[in-house]
Amino acid sequence: IISLHMNAGMCSVDTEALSVYSTDTVPVLAQLDSTAPKTARTHDISHLCDKGHTLTPSVPASLIQASDHVYEASFLPRDATSIYNERDGMWHTKVFPSDKPSSRMDAVLLD
């Protein structure tokens, strides 16, 4: 096909011969499968428009008084919720009540 295309300007080409090799006779998906390897990266960015379909659970504000909150002290911050206390030079992380209660320890501390 390429050689016929390159020589099209130099001599007359039989259009019947070209129709045999036309892309119209080969399905589009077969053309894509034959030209692109399975592991090739694509430029498809449609996934960027996809929205998350899950709802994040909301935990209401705690009814437990601030005097009953449990903090764990450490020399380094454990996460973004750790607060530095200049009096003792330690980082304090709230352990109870948890922002995302999901462990047995959360239930034990309720007792």
Side-chain angles (χ1 to χ4, degrees):
I1 294 176
I2 294 173
S3 63
L4 291 174
H5 178 70
M6 297 299 283
N7 295 328
M10 296 180 197
C11 62
S12 64
V13 177
D14 184 18
T15 56
E16 225 175 270
L18 283 177
S19 67
V20 172
Y21 297 106
S22 171
T23 57
D24 294 336
T25 60
V26 180
V28 174
L29 292 177
Q31 290 176 17
L32 291 175
D33 285 341
S34 65
T35 58
K38 300 286 186 208
T39 58
R41 299 184 94 191
T42 64
H43 296 290
D44 179 23
I45 58 170
S46 62
H47 63 90
L48 297 176
C49 295
D50 295 342
K51 302 281 188 235
H53 298 290
T54 59
L55 297 174
T56 56
S58 62
V59 178
S62 176
L63 299 176
I64 300 170
Q65 296 177 1
S67 61
D68 294 330
H69 289 196
V70 177
Y71 290 89
E72 187 175 89
S74 63
F75 291 109
L76 297 172
R78 294 184 73 192
D79 55 18
T81 62
S82 298
I83 301 168
Y84 184 73
N85 187 344
E86 291 186 14
R87 285 184 292 162
D88 59 1
M90 301 285 281
W91 288 89
H92 295 269
T93 307
K94 188 187 324 186
V95 179
F96 178 79
S98 175
D99 291 336
K100 298 176 185 172
S102 61
S103 66
R104 180 179 172 87
M105 184 55 88
D106 292 325
V108 169
L109 288 172
L110 275 173
D111 252 353

